Amino acid sequence: MTAREEGQAMQPMLKTEELAVGYGASPLLAGVDLSVTPGQIVTLIGPNGAGKSTLLRTVAGELAPLGGVAYLSGRRLDKLSDRERALELSVLLTERLRTDLMTCEDVVETGRLPHTGRLGILSPDDHDRVRAAMELVGVWEFRTNDFMRLSDGQRQRVLLARAICQEPRLLVLDEPTSYLDIRYQIELLGVLRQLVATRGLGILMSLHELPLARRISDWVVCVKDGDITMQGSPEQVFVPEVIDALYDLEPGVYDATTGSVELPADRR
Amino acid sequence: MRHSQGTEAQADPLAVRRTRVCATFALLAVLLLVAATLNLCLGSLHVPLSDLLDVLAGRDRTSTVYQVIWSIRLPRLIAAGLLGGALALSGLLLQTFFNNPIAGPYILGVSSGAKLVVAATMILVVGSSGVLTSWMLVLAAFVGSTLAMVFVLVVSQRIRSASMLIVAGVMVGYICSALTDFLITFASDANIVNLRNWSQGSFSGINWTDVATLTVVVVPAAAFALALSKPMAAYQLGERYALSVGVNVRAFRVGLIALSSLLAACVTAFAGPISFVGIAVPHIVKRLLGTSRPLVVVPASFLGGAIFCLACDLIARTALAPTEVSISAVTALFGAPVVIAILLGRQRQVD
């Protein structure tokens, strides 16, 4: 609990109290109490359809909460203007984009829009920050390439640079490792670690890859059947009992020492 | 050079892009000047360039040339330019809204909706009071275009496929055109000839009063479209990313629809439905600019639309003189191949 206790001394960039999220009237996920403090990586894990994405969409302001309250840096999320929220939080989504005649640099530059004036013209300083973000993620060499000509993994990294150069206090990532091969998954985690360490921002994300989640997270939140079934440090969460129950696995399928899920031999 | 430490051997991409954008605007300006001059000089009465300058400077006020230029060709030229720009912008806004490069006011049935209500208004009003101001036409067209737009929006809520949206729009267009034809057939009026010409699309018969009205509508609407270029830039990555960088997506979407309906309505009120300008021009202009950045694409589309319509109007007037071809026939001839090119390009992208 050390990371969490330390964090509570500082103003959390995200704090939810009894938050209920979902589409329409009945909540998909209710009673969400979580917080993300500066320098902390909080990861949501759990089976598909448990409401992880819905929770992230609500935190990002895309969906109105169905109950409870969410605070961004101490201010109520629903009281923030669109621009105020954009200065607090940026997102990386899993949906596939279709762009027309946009270079990678163009795509990343859209992250600077909340910092620009009425016509959205970037200053030299904005351009420098775009470059810094692209270099951090390792996509500066692609800057003049058409975004549509990149591989899925490269696009994901460009979009991460976009989210970084928005310079939020909280980064919300929905399955950031989708489309990435193992090398880039590890590289991505390195970038995220560097971000929280150097810029002190907080990260809230959902991850499917349990070994990655275990290695990178300061705090893990288990989401299942419309509930937060457990939250705690990776050491507390990544134990066979918790993981087996979360994913309805047969005992012994989850290997706590390697953090990997083993397929029963007869299904291989 | 911003980055003195830049290791790249080639020129700064930012500078290259700036040069290309400037060159494109210079090209568009020259083309606009050429198209405008040709439109003033050519026609049943050929006006030499020297006479044109004299007349434009306000000399020879009694001559036929002066009459032709000042009361026929100049208002028509300005109308064709402004309405062409309006059409291109209307198309660009719709393409942004639907994230679909072949969306446009004509293909989505918006122009036809405007046509139907304008035709009904013409017949009703001309039948009763006989007074029809250009403002009433614009209002009627706006009502019609908005109704058609709302219908297309309702359909688009139910179907997620971009191509089905276009098909639905085309069907709306057919329904509105059919109803318009019924109205025209049953209306027995002296104005029927005008009505028929107008419903085919034509810039003929536009006077200075019309020009004043459409300027008052189109110029502020175009300025407003330019002011939307920042949220448009954000919206290029889709609704969710736009929201995440602080765009009030709901207000922005309403703004896009209202503006594009108003621009398309204005065109239809004065020149009837004109096809394909809204799709072809933004597409060509983006390729010329080498970017889809709205801040430059919006003004360049307006210029490009003006040039395209001036050129098409010139062809419509002169190709089969003294008969005029409908403007929509000419724009379709040049615009439809562009749509095919877009579809082929998209297919290649998918493969």
Side-chain angles (χ1 to χ4, degrees):
Chain A
M1 292 279 273
T2 49
R4 188 171 167 82
E5 280 160 4
E6 278 168 24
Q8 274 166 350
M10 293 176 269
Q11 166 96 295
M13 37 250 324
L14 173 71
K15 187 168 168 51
T16 69
E17 289 169 0
E18 288 295 310
L19 188 68
V21 304
Y23 303 84
S26 59
L28 184 62
L29 182 60
V32 179
D33 287 302
L34 55 84
S35 74
V36 182
T37 52
Q40 198 185 24
I41 296 181
V42 176
T43 307
L44 308 177
I45 60 168
N48 285 328
K52 300 190 297 288
S53 290
T54 314
L55 175 57
L56 295 180
R57 292 184 81 145
T58 308
V59 168
E62 290 178 36
L63 295 170
L66 299 183
V69 203
Y71 299 93
L72 283 183
S73 298
R75 294 188 295 169
R76 278 183 68 131
L77 174 63
D78 51 356
K79 297 277 190 278
L80 295 180
S81 72
D82 289 299
R83 185 170 171 273
E84 284 170 334
R85 191 194 55 239
L87 293 172
E88 284 291 332
L89 165 157
S90 72
V91 298
L92 173 64
L93 308 170
T94 38
E95 63 177 30
R96 276 167 194 270
L97 290 182
R98 175 155 224 159
T99 60
D100 179 30
L101 281 178
M102 288 180 88
T103 65
C104 293
E105 196 171 5
D106 287 337
V107 170
V108 176
E109 281 177 5
T110 62
R112 290 304 296 172
L113 288 175
H115 301 271
T116 60
R118 191 160 282 279
L119 286 179
I121 298 170
L122 273 68
S123 68
D125 178 57
D126 288 319
H127 283 289
D128 288 340
R129 286 162 198 265
V130 166
R131 179 175 184 160
M134 292 181 82
E135 283 174 343
L136 181 67
V137 185
V139 291
W140 177 245
E141 57 181 310
F142 306 134
R143 67 192 184 282
T144 54
N145 291 26
D146 191 300
F147 183 73
M148 292 305 287
R149 293 189 180 276
L150 298 187
S151 71
D152 285 329
Q154 288 167 336
R155 283 186 205 171
Q156 196 77 348
R157 288 155 68 204
V158 169
L159 289 170
L160 178 65
R162 191 210 67 87
I164 291 170
C165 84
Q166 194 173 330
E167 297 187 340
R169 287 165 45 81
L170 178 69
L171 207 52
V172 174
L173 316 171
D174 192 0
E175 302 290 351
T177 52
S178 327
Y179 315 124
L180 296 182
D181 61 31
I182 185 70
R183 184 183 137 216
Y184 287 130
Q185 288 184 355
I186 289 168
E187 214 175 277
L188 176 88
L189 300 190
V191 168
L192 296 183
R193 269 270 149 242
Q194 197 180 337
L195 278 175
V196 292
T198 58
R199 304 197 183 183
L201 44 73
I203 293 179
L204 177 67
M205 65 176 164
S206 59
L207 269 187
H208 268 310
E209 292 84 358
L210 298 184
L212 294 180
R214 185 180 180 193
R215 277 185 49 187
I216 193 174
S217 313
D218 297 306
W219 193 253
V220 183
V221 179
C222 304
V223 185
K224 187 191 181 188
D225 295 339
D227 262 320
I228 304 287
T229 53
M230 178 181 177
Q231 47 180 317
S233 66
E235 294 75 28
Q236 291 169 316
V237 169
F238 289 100
V239 293
E241 303 80 64
V242 175
I243 298 298
D244 290 349
L246 182 61
Y247 289 96
D248 292 325
L249 300 174
E250 298 292 325
V253 174
Y254 175 74
D255 181 347
T257 50
T258 62
S260 66
V261 175
E262 299 203 348
L263 291 175
D266 58 346
R267 282 195 216 151
R268 236 184 277 193
Chain B
M1 290 280 141
R2 273 184 306 109
H3 302 290
S4 45
Q5 79 276 32
T7 50
E8 57 272 24
Q10 77 271 40
D12 181 4
L14 206 70
V16 172
R17 168 177 276 184
R18 247 179 223 147
T19 314
R20 181 159 174 185
V21 167
C22 291
T24 305
F25 274 102
L27 174 72
L28 291 175
V30 170
L31 285 176
L32 185 63
L33 192 67
V34 170
T37 312
L38 288 178
N39 264 283
L40 289 176
C41 290
L42 299 181
S44 50
L45 177 75
H46 281 264
V47 180
L49 204 55
S50 53
D51 289 11
L52 176 67
L53 293 177
D54 278 350
V55 165
L56 285 180
R59 289 188 283 273
D60 301 327
R61 279 167 188 270
T62 50
S63 67
T64 320
V65 172
Y66 187 91
Q67 285 304 315
V68 167
I69 295 292
W70 277 95
S71 44
I72 300 174
R73 287 192 193 162
L74 203 53
R76 180 170 181 157
L77 168 91
I78 295 171
L82 286 174
L83 294 178
L87 268 181
L89 277 191
S90 176
L92 179 67
L93 297 174
L94 288 175
Q95 286 144 29
T96 305
F97 184 92
F98 289 109
N99 188 23
N100 184 336
I102 52 172
Y106 187 85
I107 209 158
L108 288 177
V110 177
S111 297
S112 306
K115 177 171 86 164
L116 174 60
V117 179
V118 172
T121 310
M122 277 183 170
I123 290 163
L124 287 176
V125 174
V126 172
S128 56
S129 66
V131 188
L132 194 61
T133 64
S134 49
W135 280 109
M136 287 164 71
L137 286 181
V138 173
L139 187 67
F142 187 52
V143 169
S145 65
T146 307
L147 286 177
M149 195 70 242
V150 167
F151 185 80
V152 172
L153 284 176
V154 169
V155 171
S156 76
Q157 290 296 307
R158 293 175 179 255
I159 47 171
R160 283 280 155 213
S161 151
S163 44
M164 291 312 289
L165 172 76
I166 300 295
V167 173
V170 171
M171 292 305 128
V172 173
Y174 270 115
I175 295 167
C176 293
S177 291
L179 291 174
T180 312
D181 286 346
F182 275 117
L183 282 178
I184 293 175
T185 314
F186 288 123
S188 50
D189 223 337
N191 274 39
I192 201 81
V193 182
N194 272 338
L195 199 55
R196 181 152 303 174
N197 276 344
W198 165 83
S199 73
Q200 300 293 316
S202 168
F203 287 118
S204 71
I206 283 184
N207 58 41
W208 282 110
T209 320
D210 297 333
V211 170
T213 310
L214 68 88
T215 306
V216 170
V217 179
V218 171
V219 172
F224 200 32
L226 188 66
L228 282 184
S229 54
K230 177 177 170 179
M232 280 168 82
Y235 208 75
Q236 286 182 300
L237 296 187
E239 200 178 316
R240 297 180 63 192
Y241 278 116
L243 185 82
S244 85
V245 292
V247 174
N248 182 338
V249 169
R250 193 169 299 172
F252 172 65
R253 285 170 66 94
V254 170
L256 280 184
I257 287 297
L259 266 188
S260 60
S261 299
L262 180 62
L263 288 165
C266 197
V267 176
T268 309
F270 292 106
I274 299 177
S275 57
F276 293 107
V277 179
I279 304 173
V281 170
H283 181 78
I284 296 170
V285 158
K286 282 180 197 170
R287 264 74 209 158
L288 282 175
L289 290 166
T291 174
S292 58
R293 184 165 297 208
L295 190 61
V296 289
V297 172
V298 169
S301 290
F302 194 87
L303 280 178
I307 296 162
F308 192 82
C309 275
L310 287 179
C312 288
D313 192 37
L314 184 68
I315 295 168
R317 283 196 299 128
T318 55
L320 300 175
T323 320
E324 267 198 30
V325 188
S326 89
I327 180 79
S328 209
V330 185
T331 56
L333 199 61
F334 292 103
V338 176
V339 176
I340 296 171
I342 297 173
L343 292 174
L344 290 177
R346 273 170 82 85
Q347 191 56 48
R348 214 176 34 236
Q349 223 173 51
V350 170
D351 289 345

